[in-house]
Amino acid sequence: MRSTNSTIGTRGVARTTAAVLAGTLALALSGCGGDDDNGKGGQSGSPSASGSSLQLPKLDGQTLEVAAVWTGPEQDNFTKVLDEFEKRTGAKVDFVPTGNNTSTFLGTKIQGGKPPDVAFLPQVGVLHQFADKGWLKPLGAEAKAQSSKNFSTGWQELGAYKGKQYGVYVKAANKSLVWYNTAAFEAAGVTAAPKTWKDFLSTAQTLSDAGSPAVSIGGADGWTLTDWFENVYLSQAGPEKYDQLAQHKIKWTDPSVKDALTTLAQLWGKDDLIAGGRSGALQTEFPKSVTQAFSGDNPAAMVYEGDFVTANINADTKAKVGTDAKVFPFPAVGAQAPVVSGGDVAVVLKDGKGPQALMTFLASTDAAEIWAAQGGFISPNKAMDQGTYKDAVTRDIAKALLAAGDDFRFDMSDQAPAAFGGTAGIGEWKDLQDFLKNPSDVAGAQSRLESDAAKAYKAG
């Protein structure tokens, strides 16, 4: 189901990102970091560069449809990019949200003869499935030129399959971040970010004892739970085991999986450390998990998820990133802190000049800079102006991603067949929700995970 291109080395990116974020955290704790420092943040129109050499065709009278998982603030931010494309080409672009079951939504559309022109796939495994079915159109010459100019080899290879370039990873994610409410930390007397899992649990208990719900978990969205597992597993089991489990070369009944689930249960099994307890977490969707950490009378002190958390903080709370909301790297469970990357790959589903022109634009620095100015976004586009990021915290996260080059591990569930790693209500999403409900049943969780993985990988 996946190529080895999806799992490039991880140790370098772990060191690089941890170092950059540690510096950010040091500034944050001393009260010096977080505000935008160059006057460019918060732009909502054209990119910062004066003029643009990007050539796009005139598409007056054409209507294109773009499908992606984003809703709310993330959709609004992306719409700014589409607005600029419309302005430059004369085309009209309609955005269609796919819901969390992206592969099912798109598959139904394609089989019904009405695919969108361009779609964003959250899983590299789905790109491979769609390419095998002949549903994807290879990138045209102009889009390929932008991709090769602006993205490293590793990110280009993630968008390729069997020798053909089908997609561009224009939106990336660092999924190894813990965001925290500075007021809650100060009230509890916490002055240092936890660097190890043991320290993390101790900090959570301190926060809870001081009266704050320690950790907000968006368990109603199963994908957030896969991210928790992947960070613990990568740090504890190591990159080689991570690759093997991602490819299902070892079973989910492996002792390494038992160790990771047992570690997660140290947190998930303590209702007093979770906002709303396990039951509340299972009824909390991702956006709410963010807002309940940075708003309300008694907000949670911490919420785990990627850099895209800033989009919800900016849009749905009064908290300011870098002042009220700060970040530290996911704590080390094993010898090294984990760094798991994810991303959304743009692909073409219909022939024509319009879809290819949109892909060319999405792969450009112009589009990346407009998107970055909105917040809640980082890009592996190495040629874009880093000064266009909305805030200094996001800018540092993006710089760490670029500094790592091709030395990273990609989200494990996104590499799996969609039936296991990418569909609400079934597979890994459902199995980890069941585990959150009953964290004492490690063996049962392993058995269900292995049964579901075996079926999905066999089906391809």
Side-chain angles (χ1 to χ4, degrees):
M1 269 312 302
R2 50 172 292 284
S3 72
T4 54
N5 292 336
S6 298
T7 50
I8 310 167
T10 189
R11 298 186 185 279
V13 69
R15 287 194 296 267
T16 304
T17 306
V20 172
L21 289 177
T24 302
L25 180 67
L27 286 172
L29 289 175
S30 66
C32 299
D35 293 332
D36 185 78
D37 53 12
N38 62 6
K40 294 182 180 178
Q43 301 176 70
S44 59
S46 300
S48 61
S50 57
S52 174
S53 61
L54 184 68
Q55 299 297 313
L56 296 172
K58 289 297 181 182
L59 301 171
D60 298 275
Q62 292 194 32
T63 299
L64 303 177
E65 188 173 88
V66 178
V69 70
W70 309 308
T71 58
E74 287 189 294
Q75 179 183 336
D76 293 341
N77 292 346
F78 178 56
T79 299
K80 299 291 197 308
V81 179
L82 299 181
D83 289 346
E84 181 67 16
F85 178 78
E86 290 181 331
K87 178 181 175 183
R88 296 192 191 188
T89 64
K92 181 177 184 297
V93 185
D94 294 328
F95 179 87
V96 179
T98 65
N100 280 332
N101 293 341
T102 300
S103 62
T104 301
F105 175 91
L106 293 174
T108 301
K109 283 275 197 178
I110 294 166
Q111 291 172 325
K114 296 182 178 180
D117 295 272
V118 171
F120 283 81
L121 308 179
Q123 293 96 20
V124 66
V126 174
L127 183 148
H128 297 172
Q129 287 178 310
F130 281 18
D132 272 334
K133 291 176 182 291
W135 290 350
L136 303 184
K137 310 299 180 184
L139 294 187
E142 292 82 3
K144 283 180 68 175
Q146 288 295 317
S147 176
S148 62
K149 180 175 72 170
N150 298 329
F151 297 85
S152 71
T153 300
W155 286 101
Q156 291 180 64
E157 288 177 344
L158 282 170
Y161 186 62
K162 293 184 177 178
K164 292 184 178 180
Q165 194 72 36
Y166 288 105
V168 183
Y169 271 89
V170 297
K171 187 178 190 293
N174 179 328
K175 290 191 168 188
S176 298
L177 304 173
V178 180
W179 298 84
Y180 69 99
N181 185 310
T182 56
F185 267 51
E186 290 168 5
V190 178
T191 58
K195 294 183 179 180
T196 68
W197 182 256
K198 181 180 178 181
D199 291 342
F200 181 75
L201 294 176
S202 177
T203 297
Q205 191 63 60
T206 298
L207 291 160
S208 178
D209 292 345
S212 293
V215 184
S216 178
I217 298 177
D221 289 323
W223 62 267
T224 66
L225 304 184
T226 70
D227 291 347
W228 273 99
F229 172 83
E230 288 157 9
N231 276 274
V232 169
Y233 189 83
L234 177 57
S235 182
Q236 189 171 49
E240 290 77 17
K241 283 276 192 181
Y242 185 96
D243 292 352
Q244 291 168 5
L245 188 60
Q247 299 173 66
H248 202 223
K249 288 185 176 179
I250 58 175
K251 294 183 177 182
W252 284 79
T253 49
D254 189 84
S256 61
V257 177
K258 176 183 178 181
D259 291 343
L261 292 175
T262 300
T263 297
L264 274 175
Q266 294 171 354
L267 173 65
W268 290 5
K270 292 187 177 181
D271 273 353
D272 61 315
L273 299 184
I274 301 172
R278 285 169 288 166
S279 176
L282 286 165
Q283 299 175 59
T284 300
E285 296 179 340
F286 163 69
K288 183 181 176 183
S289 74
V290 177
T291 57
Q292 70 182 13
F294 298 104
S295 61
D297 294 334
N298 188 29
M302 297 182 287
V303 60
Y304 155 71
E305 252 312 334
D307 54 272
F308 44 84
V309 162
T310 60
N312 298 86
I313 296 174
N314 290 333
D316 300 329
T317 79
K318 295 180 180 179
K320 186 174 181 182
V321 174
T323 304
D324 308 303
K326 296 179 182 178
V327 66
F328 59 84
F330 196 95
V333 183
Q336 296 209 17
V339 176
V340 177
S341 295
D344 297 276
V345 59
V347 296
V348 179
L349 298 175
K350 291 173 70 173
D351 289 318
K353 183 166 65 173
Q356 290 291 346
L358 180 55
M359 287 293 291
T360 300
F361 182 63
L362 291 172
S364 72
T365 57
D366 293 6
E369 289 165 7
I370 294 168
W371 209 342
Q374 313 312 314
F377 166 88
I378 62 171
S379 175
N381 189 317
K382 62 184 181 181
M384 66 175 284
D385 179 3
Q386 299 295 303
T388 55
Y389 280 106
K390 187 177 179 70
D391 57 80
V393 172
T394 303
R395 190 177 309 121
D396 283 342
I397 295 169
K399 287 179 180 177
L401 178 74
L402 294 180
D406 292 338
D407 200 10
F408 60 87
R409 279 300 188 284
F410 202 79
D411 184 296
M412 185 190 295
S413 63
D414 288 351
Q415 298 177 47
F420 180 66
T423 305
I426 63 173
E428 189 181 0
W429 291 19
K430 175 65 162 58
D431 294 338
L432 289 179
Q433 287 175 321
D434 289 343
F435 180 64
L436 174 57
K437 186 176 182 180
N438 183 17
S440 64
D441 187 18
V442 172
Q446 284 187 270
S447 177
R448 290 187 291 272
L449 285 161
E450 175 53 29
S451 175
D452 289 339
K455 292 174 187 176
Y457 279 85
K458 183 178 181 180

